[in-house]
Amino acid sequence: MCGIFGAIALRPGTALRHPECLTAMAQALRHRGPDGERIVGHERARLGARRLAIMDLTTGDQPFQSPDGAIWMVCNGEIYNAPDLRREATAWGYPFRSRGDIETIVPFYERHGEGAVARLDGMFGLAVWDDRRGRLLLARDRAGEKPMFWTEREGELRFASEIQALLTFPDQPRRVNRTALALYRALGYVPGPHTMFDGIHKLSPAHLLVADAGGEGGVEQRPYWSAAAAATAPSQLVDATQLRGTLLRAVERELMSDVPLGVFTSGGLDSSLLVGAAARVLLGERIHTYAVRFVEPGYDESAYAEAVTHDIKTVHHVVTADDEGLHRALDVVTQSMAEPLGDPAILPTYLLAEAARNDVKVVLSGEGADELFGGYPTYLGHKAAAAWLRLPGAVRRGLRWAVNAWPASTGKVTLEFMLKQFVAAAELPWLERHLAWFGALGPSGEGGVVPELVCKLTGFPHDDPLNRVLWLDFVTYLPDDLLVKVDRATMLASVEARAPFLDREVMELILPVPSARKVRGFTTKAILKEAARGLVPDAVIDRRKRGLSVPVARWLNTGLAPLADRLLDTPLLAEHRSGKANHARKLWPLLMLALWAERWQVDIS
């Protein structure tokens, strides 16, 4: 794991204009790799890495080069099928200099070119410079666990694991991308390939970028894997036993490490299943688990996590997320991330990673399970909306009045909150309804949001309406919110996070499964719950999902009140303060946007 970066001159015979900025790029990514730094190259092309040593601690320094020095490669991530790849390349006679997973990319690129990427199973953002051909290859893993940003400026292509490394160049503008701004206001995150900076792009999951610096200087992007194609394949899922075996293999693959590892756990199904699977794979070994404890009544679920870890006998750590800790995390996140993220769960995730760094360098996390298996309450809402629309109009109006008359609460996912969200959007078309329930300000007044998201579903089947909602979250909310949250929060603490539910074998097994096997009646994650029996306690399987949430509603009226008053100019804030409505979900993304614009000196007016 590391932070990677580089720059190439796209026109033959030209040199990099700001080669000194490569050192500044490395410094901007130091948190992603505190264990070392190396830059290679010449006047036309330079690339480098900041290393977080996870595998092959003594011989695994990047960049890697081919024996003749013509291929240079850097990779942020882990290649889980590296043992198989190494055996294959060794049979060719390739002289490996390291014992880890990353160098296996080099011989496969030498033999297969860009086709090598499709052979990789893992999480990665990688770059290969082919000096003979004058060609740069960038690639990103299938689900989008690891980031990759790039920009083209006056004949140069630059790339990095995080945006702030690209901002070290003096000629990089800091103009806001108006399309991204509209999308952020509607969703609370920026879907790729956009970023909030005009001219800086996010490489999409499962995509390649090929830049030809040996001829015309063209830049081309294309997919090497398709979630839509996986979703249209015939379902191969037989039963829960098959799924359990697939998940156990995924966890076993992702437990590869030469350093201690742990698991983030909430006491819910997804993380508890990972703990149970890890305990089965690492029989007799010490597994560290980490849970967050909130001091706010109704938000704390650490007792559930402690019960699970006590049953499985892990080394359990509880991290307190009080106002002081959350405020410190807010300062770190907003000062370090050159992209706004309207998901407050990044704060306790950072606190967990910060605590975990004392014991481990690698953690497993449950991202992807909700989108693949149907875990969010909103999926039940979509099913309930069909029944709601069958009620007479007068009955719906009466129920809507009664629900809206209920006093507002600042608690965590209360029945009052969910019912108000439901009646406000139940009669909208499915996509607008989903955005109203799941987004920030929603699509109203932000032209282009709905068409932008509809395009994400090109190629997916149309005959399973609920699965279309799950697939939409899989290709938007998951890579552009959840995986951003966990990657940036853990990397700010120099910890690597892995998501076994996003293992390629798991994804290709579950994406084509009919939604009726995922959401059965009003039971979410039905097939996953069946697979979990015997790995985790029944009480965990039967408990209602709550999710990692932060007491933002109260915090905006107390500790964050001065900051909100200074940065937010919206009637929503006054209404929130009065107690007439809980607008925390809308106000928090706006506050993060304002802090981002102030920190990076961007005009969003």
Side-chain angles (χ1 to χ4, degrees), residues 407-431:
S409 165
T410 59
K412 176 182 178 180
V413 196
T414 62
L415 179 61
E416 168 265 332
F417 174 81
M418 288 193 294
L419 287 176
K420 285 182 178 177
Q421 291 291 305
F422 177 79
V423 300
E427 297 173 29
L428 294 174
W430 77 267
L431 182 50

PDB file of all heavy atoms in Angstrom, residues 407-431:
ATOM      1  N   PRO A 407     -43.413  15.712  16.141  1.00  0.00           N
ATOM      2  CA  PRO A 407     -42.285  16.591  16.484  1.00  0.00           C
ATOM      3  C   PRO A 407     -40.959  16.024  15.976  1.00  0.00           C
ATOM      4  O   PRO A 407     -40.723  14.816  16.011  1.00  0.00           O
ATOM      5  CB  PRO A 407     -42.322  16.618  18.022  1.00  0.00           C
ATOM      6  CG  PRO A 407     -43.733  16.299  18.378  1.00  0.00           C
ATOM      7  CD  PRO A 407     -44.197  15.324  17.327  1.00  0.00           C
ATOM      8  N   ALA A 408     -40.098  16.922  15.516  1.00  0.00           N
ATOM      9  CA  ALA A 408     -38.802  16.506  14.973  1.00  0.00           C
ATOM     10  C   ALA A 408     -37.901  15.979  16.077  1.00  0.00           C
ATOM     11  O   ALA A 408     -37.928  16.456  17.218  1.00  0.00           O
ATOM     12  CB  ALA A 408     -38.126  17.673  14.262  1.00  0.00           C
ATOM     13  N   SER A 409     -37.082  14.978  15.727  1.00  0.00           N
ATOM     14  CA  SER A 409     -36.139  14.367  16.658  1.00  0.00           C
ATOM     15  C   SER A 409     -34.732  14.515  16.115  1.00  0.00           C
ATOM     16  O   SER A 409     -34.521  14.576  14.905  1.00  0.00           O
ATOM     17  CB  SER A 409     -36.473  12.881  16.844  1.00  0.00           C
ATOM     18  OG  SER A 409     -35.410  12.197  17.460  1.00  0.00           O
ATOM     19  N   THR A 410     -33.754  14.587  17.020  1.00  0.00           N
ATOM     20  CA  THR A 410     -32.342  14.620  16.607  1.00  0.00           C
ATOM     21  C   THR A 410     -31.675  13.273  16.844  1.00  0.00           C
ATOM     22  O   THR A 410     -30.456  13.168  16.788  1.00  0.00           O
ATOM     23  CB  THR A 410     -31.569  15.711  17.379  1.00  0.00           C
ATOM     24  OG1 THR A 410     -31.654  15.433  18.786  1.00  0.00           O
ATOM     25  CG2 THR A 410     -32.147  17.084  17.095  1.00  0.00           C
ATOM     26  N   GLY A 411     -32.456  12.241  17.114  1.00  0.00           N
ATOM     27  CA  GLY A 411     -31.893  10.914  17.360  1.00  0.00           C
ATOM     28  C   GLY A 411     -31.393  10.259  16.094  1.00  0.00           C
ATOM     29  O   GLY A 411     -31.499  10.795  14.987  1.00  0.00           O
ATOM     30  N   LYS A 412     -30.872   9.034  16.252  1.00  0.00           N
ATOM     31  CA  LYS A 412     -30.258   8.298  15.157  1.00  0.00           C
ATOM     32  C   LYS A 412     -31.285   7.445  14.434  1.00  0.00           C
ATOM     33  O   LYS A 412     -31.846   6.521  14.998  1.00  0.00           O
ATOM     34  CB  LYS A 412     -29.139   7.414  15.706  1.00  0.00           C
ATOM     35  CG  LYS A 412     -28.473   6.524  14.670  1.00  0.00           C
ATOM     36  CD  LYS A 412     -27.410   5.659  15.323  1.00  0.00           C
ATOM     37  CE  LYS A 412     -26.765   4.730  14.311  1.00  0.00           C
ATOM     38  NZ  LYS A 412     -25.723   3.884  14.914  1.00  0.00           N
ATOM     39  N   VAL A 413     -31.578   7.789  13.175  1.00  0.00           N
ATOM     40  CA  VAL A 413     -32.464   7.014  12.301  1.00  0.00           C
ATOM     41  C   VAL A 413     -33.738   6.620  13.055  1.00  0.00           C
ATOM     42  O   VAL A 413     -34.078   5.448  13.188  1.00  0.00           O
ATOM     43  CB  VAL A 413     -31.758   5.754  11.744  1.00  0.00           C
ATOM     44  CG1 VAL A 413     -32.545   5.206  10.551  1.00  0.00           C
ATOM     45  CG2 VAL A 413     -30.335   6.054  11.314  1.00  0.00           C
ATOM     46  N   THR A 414     -34.445   7.637  13.569  1.00  0.00           N
ATOM     47  CA  THR A 414     -35.654   7.381  14.337  1.00  0.00           C
ATOM     48  C   THR A 414     -36.813   7.011  13.412  1.00  0.00           C
ATOM     49  O   THR A 414     -36.786   7.279  12.207  1.00  0.00           O
ATOM     50  CB  THR A 414     -36.048   8.619  15.156  1.00  0.00           C
ATOM     51  OG1 THR A 414     -36.322   9.694  14.239  1.00  0.00           O
ATOM     52  CG2 THR A 414     -34.933   9.033  16.106  1.00  0.00           C
ATOM     53  N   LEU A 415     -37.865   6.406  13.997  1.00  0.00           N
ATOM     54  CA  LEU A 415     -39.056   6.074  13.224  1.00  0.00           C
ATOM     55  C   LEU A 415     -39.680   7.343  12.642  1.00  0.00           C
ATOM     56  O   LEU A 415     -40.130   7.353  11.489  1.00  0.00           O
ATOM     57  CB  LEU A 415     -40.062   5.334  14.113  1.00  0.00           C
ATOM     58  CG  LEU A 415     -41.389   4.943  13.442  1.00  0.00           C
ATOM     59  CD1 LEU A 415     -41.142   3.995  12.271  1.00  0.00           C
ATOM     60  CD2 LEU A 415     -42.327   4.320  14.470  1.00  0.00           C
ATOM     61  N   GLU A 416     -39.684   8.415  13.421  1.00  0.00           N
ATOM     62  CA  GLU A 416     -40.220   9.700  12.938  1.00  0.00           C
ATOM     63  C   GLU A 416     -39.475  10.177  11.701  1.00  0.00           C
ATOM     64  O   GLU A 416     -40.064  10.589  10.698  1.00  0.00           O
ATOM     65  CB  GLU A 416     -40.121  10.742  14.067  1.00  0.00           C
ATOM     66  CG  GLU A 416     -40.368  12.182  13.630  1.00  0.00           C
ATOM     67  CD  GLU A 416     -39.071  12.935  13.312  1.00  0.00           C
ATOM     68  OE1 GLU A 416     -38.026  12.584  13.891  1.00  0.00           O
ATOM     69  OE2 GLU A 416     -39.112  13.840  12.458  1.00  0.00           O
ATOM     70  N   PHE A 417     -38.137  10.106  11.739  1.00  0.00           N
ATOM     71  CA  PHE A 417     -37.322  10.546  10.610  1.00  0.00           C
ATOM     72  C   PHE A 417     -37.607   9.703   9.377  1.00  0.00           C
ATOM     73  O   PHE A 417     -37.810  10.220   8.271  1.00  0.00           O
ATOM     74  CB  PHE A 417     -35.841  10.471  10.981  1.00  0.00           C
ATOM     75  CG  PHE A 417     -34.908  10.763   9.839  1.00  0.00           C
ATOM     76  CD1 PHE A 417     -34.635  12.070   9.470  1.00  0.00           C
ATOM     77  CD2 PHE A 417     -34.300   9.736   9.129  1.00  0.00           C
ATOM     78  CE1 PHE A 417     -33.783  12.349   8.411  1.00  0.00           C
ATOM     79  CE2 PHE A 417     -33.450   9.995   8.075  1.00  0.00           C
ATOM     80  CZ  PHE A 417     -33.188  11.312   7.722  1.00  0.00           C
ATOM     81  N   MET A 418     -37.643   8.386   9.551  1.00  0.00           N
ATOM     82  CA  MET A 418     -37.833   7.500   8.399  1.00  0.00           C
ATOM     83  C   MET A 418     -39.225   7.671   7.789  1.00  0.00           C
ATOM     84  O   MET A 418     -39.375   7.668   6.557  1.00  0.00           O
ATOM     85  CB  MET A 418     -37.604   6.050   8.819  1.00  0.00           C
ATOM     86  CG  MET A 418     -36.141   5.732   9.095  1.00  0.00           C
ATOM     87  SD  MET A 418     -35.807   3.952   9.234  1.00  0.00           S
ATOM     88  CE  MET A 418     -36.726   3.549  10.716  1.00  0.00           C
ATOM     89  N   LEU A 419     -40.251   7.835   8.620  1.00  0.00           N
ATOM     90  CA  LEU A 419     -41.604   8.008   8.086  1.00  0.00           C
ATOM     91  C   LEU A 419     -41.742   9.331   7.332  1.00  0.00           C
ATOM     92  O   LEU A 419     -42.392   9.392   6.282  1.00  0.00           O
ATOM     93  CB  LEU A 419     -42.628   7.920   9.212  1.00  0.00           C
ATOM     94  CG  LEU A 419     -42.866   6.517   9.788  1.00  0.00           C
ATOM     95  CD1 LEU A 419     -43.829   6.591  10.967  1.00  0.00           C
ATOM     96  CD2 LEU A 419     -43.422   5.584   8.708  1.00  0.00           C
ATOM     97  N   LYS A 420     -41.130  10.390   7.850  1.00  0.00           N
ATOM     98  CA  LYS A 420     -41.186  11.673   7.149  1.00  0.00           C
ATOM     99  C   LYS A 420     -40.467  11.600   5.808  1.00  0.00           C
ATOM    100  O   LYS A 420     -40.944  12.160   4.806  1.00  0.00           O
ATOM    101  CB  LYS A 420     -40.593  12.779   8.030  1.00  0.00           C
ATOM    102  CG  LYS A 420     -41.506  13.213   9.175  1.00  0.00           C
ATOM    103  CD  LYS A 420     -40.893  14.332   9.989  1.00  0.00           C
ATOM    104  CE  LYS A 420     -41.851  14.776  11.090  1.00  0.00           C
ATOM    105  NZ  LYS A 420     -41.266  15.830  11.952  1.00  0.00           N
ATOM    106  N   GLN A 421     -39.315  10.912   5.790  1.00  0.00           N
ATOM    107  CA  GLN A 421     -38.616  10.733   4.529  1.00  0.00           C
ATOM    108  C   GLN A 421     -39.475   9.925   3.551  1.00  0.00           C
ATOM    109  O   GLN A 421     -39.538  10.246   2.358  1.00  0.00           O
ATOM    110  CB  GLN A 421     -37.290  10.000   4.779  1.00  0.00           C
ATOM    111  CG  GLN A 421     -36.260  10.809   5.531  1.00  0.00           C
ATOM    112  CD  GLN A 421     -35.720  11.948   4.701  1.00  0.00           C
ATOM    113  OE1 GLN A 421     -35.226  11.757   3.596  1.00  0.00           O
ATOM    114  NE2 GLN A 421     -35.817  13.153   5.209  1.00  0.00           N
ATOM    115  N   PHE A 422     -40.138   8.913   4.055  1.00  0.00           N
ATOM    116  CA  PHE A 422     -40.935   8.043   3.191  1.00  0.00           C
ATOM    117  C   PHE A 422     -42.091   8.803   2.551  1.00  0.00           C
ATOM    118  O   PHE A 422     -42.249   8.790   1.316  1.00  0.00           O
ATOM    119  CB  PHE A 422     -41.464   6.848   3.991  1.00  0.00           C
ATOM    120  CG  PHE A 422     -42.355   5.947   3.182  1.00  0.00           C
ATOM    121  CD1 PHE A 422     -41.817   5.028   2.302  1.00  0.00           C
ATOM    122  CD2 PHE A 422     -43.738   6.036   3.279  1.00  0.00           C
ATOM    123  CE1 PHE A 422     -42.633   4.202   1.533  1.00  0.00           C
ATOM    124  CE2 PHE A 422     -44.562   5.221   2.523  1.00  0.00           C
ATOM    125  CZ  PHE A 422     -44.010   4.301   1.647  1.00  0.00           C
ATOM    126  N   VAL A 423     -42.913   9.481   3.349  1.00  0.00           N
ATOM    127  CA  VAL A 423     -44.106  10.124   2.794  1.00  0.00           C
ATOM    128  C   VAL A 423     -43.741  11.302   1.902  1.00  0.00           C
ATOM    129  O   VAL A 423     -44.509  11.670   1.007  1.00  0.00           O
ATOM    130  CB  VAL A 423     -45.076  10.574   3.913  1.00  0.00           C
ATOM    131  CG1 VAL A 423     -45.524   9.377   4.739  1.00  0.00           C
ATOM    132  CG2 VAL A 423     -44.459  11.641   4.814  1.00  0.00           C
ATOM    133  N   ALA A 424     -42.548  11.886   2.108  1.00  0.00           N
ATOM    134  CA  ALA A 424     -42.148  13.031   1.293  1.00  0.00           C
ATOM    135  C   ALA A 424     -41.812  12.633  -0.136  1.00  0.00           C
ATOM    136  O   ALA A 424     -41.916  13.454  -1.054  1.00  0.00           O
ATOM    137  CB  ALA A 424     -40.952  13.733   1.931  1.00  0.00           C
ATOM    138  N   ALA A 425     -41.416  11.375  -0.339  1.00  0.00           N
ATOM    139  CA  ALA A 425     -40.903  10.995  -1.660  1.00  0.00           C
ATOM    140  C   ALA A 425     -41.519   9.734  -2.238  1.00  0.00           C
ATOM    141  O   ALA A 425     -41.176   9.349  -3.358  1.00  0.00           O
ATOM    142  CB  ALA A 425     -39.388  10.828  -1.584  1.00  0.00           C
ATOM    143  N   ALA A 426     -42.437   9.092  -1.518  1.00  0.00           N
ATOM    144  CA  ALA A 426     -42.947   7.789  -1.958  1.00  0.00           C
ATOM    145  C   ALA A 426     -43.630   7.836  -3.318  1.00  0.00           C
ATOM    146  O   ALA A 426     -43.660   6.829  -4.039  1.00  0.00           O
ATOM    147  CB  ALA A 426     -43.900   7.223  -0.910  1.00  0.00           C
ATOM    148  N   GLU A 427     -44.159   8.998  -3.709  1.00  0.00           N
ATOM    149  CA  GLU A 427     -44.908   9.090  -4.961  1.00  0.00           C
ATOM    150  C   GLU A 427     -44.070   9.572  -6.136  1.00  0.00           C
ATOM    151  O   GLU A 427     -44.579   9.742  -7.244  1.00  0.00           O
ATOM    152  CB  GLU A 427     -46.127   9.989  -4.756  1.00  0.00           C
ATOM    153  CG  GLU A 427     -47.096   9.406  -3.723  1.00  0.00           C
ATOM    154  CD  GLU A 427     -48.239  10.346  -3.358  1.00  0.00           C
ATOM    155  OE1 GLU A 427     -48.631  11.164  -4.234  1.00  0.00           O
ATOM    156  OE2 GLU A 427     -48.725  10.276  -2.230  1.00  0.00           O
ATOM    157  N   LEU A 428     -42.778   9.799  -5.913  1.00  0.00           N
ATOM    158  CA  LEU A 428     -41.894  10.232  -6.997  1.00  0.00           C
ATOM    159  C   LEU A 428     -41.474   9.042  -7.848  1.00  0.00           C
ATOM    160  O   LEU A 428     -41.551   7.890  -7.411  1.00  0.00           O
ATOM    161  CB  LEU A 428     -40.640  10.889  -6.405  1.00  0.00           C
ATOM    162  CG  LEU A 428     -40.824  12.203  -5.648  1.00  0.00           C
ATOM    163  CD1 LEU A 428     -39.496  12.624  -5.011  1.00  0.00           C
ATOM    164  CD2 LEU A 428     -41.341  13.294  -6.570  1.00  0.00           C
ATOM    165  N   PRO A 429     -40.991   9.274  -9.084  1.00  0.00           N
ATOM    166  CA  PRO A 429     -40.376   8.195  -9.868  1.00  0.00           C
ATOM    167  C   PRO A 429     -39.227   7.571  -9.081  1.00  0.00           C
ATOM    168  O   PRO A 429     -38.595   8.226  -8.253  1.00  0.00           O
ATOM    169  CB  PRO A 429     -39.876   8.914 -11.128  1.00  0.00           C
ATOM    170  CG  PRO A 429     -40.729  10.130 -11.233  1.00  0.00           C
ATOM    171  CD  PRO A 429     -41.029  10.548  -9.831  1.00  0.00           C
ATOM    172  N   TRP A 430     -38.897   6.309  -9.395  1.00  0.00           N
ATOM    173  CA  TRP A 430     -37.993   5.557  -8.512  1.00  0.00           C
ATOM    174  C   TRP A 430     -36.650   6.225  -8.298  1.00  0.00           C
ATOM    175  O   TRP A 430     -36.127   6.251  -7.167  1.00  0.00           O
ATOM    176  CB  TRP A 430     -37.801   4.132  -9.035  1.00  0.00           C
ATOM    177  CG  TRP A 430     -36.858   3.997 -10.209  1.00  0.00           C
ATOM    178  CD1 TRP A 430     -37.172   4.008 -11.527  1.00  0.00           C
ATOM    179  CD2 TRP A 430     -35.438   3.832 -10.144  1.00  0.00           C
ATOM    180  NE1 TRP A 430     -36.043   3.862 -12.300  1.00  0.00           N
ATOM    181  CE2 TRP A 430     -34.959   3.737 -11.475  1.00  0.00           C
ATOM    182  CE3 TRP A 430     -34.516   3.740  -9.094  1.00  0.00           C
ATOM    183  CZ2 TRP A 430     -33.616   3.580 -11.785  1.00  0.00           C
ATOM    184  CZ3 TRP A 430     -33.166   3.574  -9.402  1.00  0.00           C
ATOM    185  CH2 TRP A 430     -32.730   3.501 -10.730  1.00  0.00           C
ATOM    186  N   LEU A 431     -36.050   6.809  -9.345  1.00  0.00           N
ATOM    187  CA  LEU A 431     -34.729   7.388  -9.185  1.00  0.00           C
ATOM    188  C   LEU A 431     -34.787   8.662  -8.351  1.00  0.00           C
ATOM    189  O   LEU A 431     -33.972   8.867  -7.438  1.00  0.00           O
ATOM    190  CB  LEU A 431     -34.094   7.669 -10.550  1.00  0.00           C
ATOM    191  CG  LEU A 431     -32.678   8.246 -10.535  1.00  0.00           C
ATOM    192  CD1 LEU A 431     -31.758   7.425  -9.644  1.00  0.00           C
ATOM    193  CD2 LEU A 431     -32.113   8.328 -11.945  1.00  0.00           C
TER     194      LEU A 431
END
